[in-house]
Amino acid sequence: MANRKRLIGLAIVAALVAGGVVLYLRTRPTAAAHTLTLYGNVDIREVDAAFNDNGRIGKLLVQEGDIVHRGELIALMDNRRFAASLAAARAQATNLQQVLAALLAGSRPETIVQAKAQMDALAFVAHNDQVNYQRYRALVPGNGATRQQRDDALAAYQNAEQTYQAAKQAYVLAVKGPRKEDIAAAEAAYRAAVATAALAEREFKDTRLYAPADGVIEDRILEQGDMASPATPVYTIALTNPVWVRAYVPESDLGRIKLGMAADITTDSYKGRIYHGWIGYLSPTAEFTPKNVETPDLRAQLVYQLRVYACAPHDELRLGMPATVTIDLAQHLGPADQRGPGVCGHDGGH
């Protein structure tokens, strides 16, 4: 009897243990429930590098596949026409600068002395002609001189007086120096010439094309001797920073991810290598699944584009490369975990 009771007790315990195991297996979280796997392609930005003026290309310094750095000289335009314009503009500015300097300096002391000497000499002539005229006028009533002689003396005196007054005004102007209106006009002309020279210098510098950012020459569009313009790019440069994977998340999983969440990126090209990144962009609008990532069960679903920015210091992620993104949904984000501009040295934008 005791053995029977013992067997019944063991059976009950075994049943309870088995039920607990089944319940645990049914309710325990699985790795798949805490992980989201997405598939996409590596994407990068491109920039078209063009001259800022019209002219004929003189020399191209890089070609497809070359790595360039921000500020590196990559092409030259024939600058002879621009050099001549710059030289002429600078010469004109120098000329007007000297004109302005002369006006600001005022009259030379020698000029003032010369004007005064001429004024004094003419004053003496006018005084002498006045004395002669008065003498002839006094002699006419006694027939000591004719009226014609008197009139000629008067005309000579009046002419000498006008000449003296003109010399006097010239002396006054020499003492006062240039008018302020003339100085202002000269200053305006000089400033305009300086601005023209600065524009000519800018146009001359625009004959040199520099790389706008770090990257790889993807396409060399023009060749030496071609006509370049601001609307005609010379190169297409694939920027190496930032690099991201463009993937699409179904609407049902959208609420499980957030901006700033860490993610791992893998590719078929480098098996076993994991690139660490983070979710830097989530599209605010839905779209139908793109053709290149479409599967039979996703053809009619709405998805949201996301971009996982990658830290890839070895330049192994290339444009268009298929990639797999794995996101740990159990991670918790705090204020210090929010990734943004400056991570891995790129801007983190989209």
Side-chain angles (χ1 to χ4, degrees):
M1 186 70 177
N3 291 335
R4 184 177 182 183
K5 289 182 178 180
R6 184 181 300 172
L7 291 174
I8 293 174
L10 292 174
I12 293 174
V13 171
L16 291 175
V17 171
V21 170
V22 171
L23 180 62
Y24 169 75
L25 292 175
R26 289 183 176 179
T27 58
R28 68 171 180 173
T30 62
H34 287 167
T35 302
L36 179 63
T37 302
L38 302 173
Y39 303 94
N41 299 87
V42 176
D43 206 351
I44 59 176
R45 289 193 179 100
E46 297 175 332
V47 61
D48 290 331
F51 285 103
N52 198 34
D53 215 317
N54 299 301
R56 194 169 300 280
I57 296 177
K59 191 174 184 180
L60 295 175
L61 304 178
V62 293
Q63 55 187 331
E64 289 90 347
D66 286 351
I67 297 174
V68 296
H69 301 283
R70 181 183 181 90
E72 180 181 343
L73 182 63
I74 57 178
L76 295 169
M77 185 185 291
D78 185 350
N79 62 8
R80 288 173 292 182
R81 173 168 57 91
F82 299 94
S85 297
L86 176 58
R90 286 176 172 173
Q92 178 67 6
T94 301
N95 177 60
L96 292 177
Q97 183 182 27
Q98 296 303 316
V99 172
L100 175 61
L103 291 174
L104 291 174
S107 302
R108 293 180 178 179
E110 297 82 0
T111 302
I112 296 175
V113 171
Q114 182 182 22
K116 187 176 187 307
Q118 186 174 5
M119 178 189 68
D120 293 342
L122 291 174
F124 176 78
V125 172
H127 177 71
N128 186 57
D129 289 344
Q130 181 184 22
V131 171
N132 287 336
Y133 163 66
Q134 291 175 349
R135 183 182 299 114
Y136 282 113
R137 187 178 64 176
L139 292 175
V140 168
N143 296 323
T146 65
R147 292 182 178 180
Q148 183 63 44
Q149 289 176 324
R150 182 199 61 186
D151 295 341
D152 291 341
L154 177 61
Y157 163 63
Q158 290 175 339
N159 182 64
E161 180 65 22
Q162 292 175 356
T163 303
Y164 162 71
Q165 292 297 331
K168 182 179 180 180
Q169 293 301 318
Y171 169 71
V172 171
L173 291 176
V175 172
K176 289 185 176 180
R179 296 173 57 183
K180 62 180 181 180
E181 293 83 0
D182 294 336
I183 295 176
E187 288 176 342
Y190 172 63
R191 287 196 300 268
V194 169
T196 301
L199 177 60
E201 184 176 4
R202 179 69 266 173
E203 292 175 344
F204 177 77
K205 290 181 178 179
D206 285 341
T207 61
R208 303 169 69 87
L209 180 60
Y210 298 92
D214 295 345
V216 178
I217 300 298
E218 183 178 351
D219 191 13
R220 194 163 103 165
I221 302 171
L222 299 181
E223 292 297 332
Q224 182 174 337
D226 285 337
M227 287 298 295
S229 71
T232 306
V234 180
Y235 300 103
T236 298
I237 301 176
L239 305 184
T240 54
N241 232 344
V243 177
W244 68 86
V245 174
R246 183 180 65 253
Y248 297 86
V249 58
E251 185 178 5
S252 58
D253 291 325
L254 185 63
R256 306 168 70 191
I257 59 176
K258 296 180 180 179
L259 287 174
M261 292 182 71
D264 291 333
I265 301 170
T266 58
T267 66
D268 294 335
S269 301
Y270 300 94
K271 294 187 180 300
R273 185 180 293 277
I274 298 176
Y275 306 93
H276 300 293
W278 72 97
I279 300 175
Y281 170 72
L282 279 174
S283 174
T285 58
E287 56 184 290
F288 287 105
T289 309
K291 295 291 184 182
N292 60 337
V293 295
E294 196 172 87
T295 58
D297 57 339
L298 289 178
R299 286 174 182 166
Q301 286 191 14
L302 290 176
V303 294
Y304 290 80
Q305 182 187 147
L306 62 81
R307 299 181 186 180
V308 178
Y309 289 87
C311 300
H314 303 296
D315 191 29
E316 295 173 350
L317 299 181
R318 302 300 179 91
L319 177 64
M321 180 182 291
T324 301
V325 175
T326 305
I327 305 171
D328 181 8
L329 300 176
Q331 61 184 288
H332 299 285
L333 291 179
D337 298 320
Q338 295 295 326
R339 295 167 173 82
V343 178
C344 295
H346 52 68
D347 59 10
H350 57 271

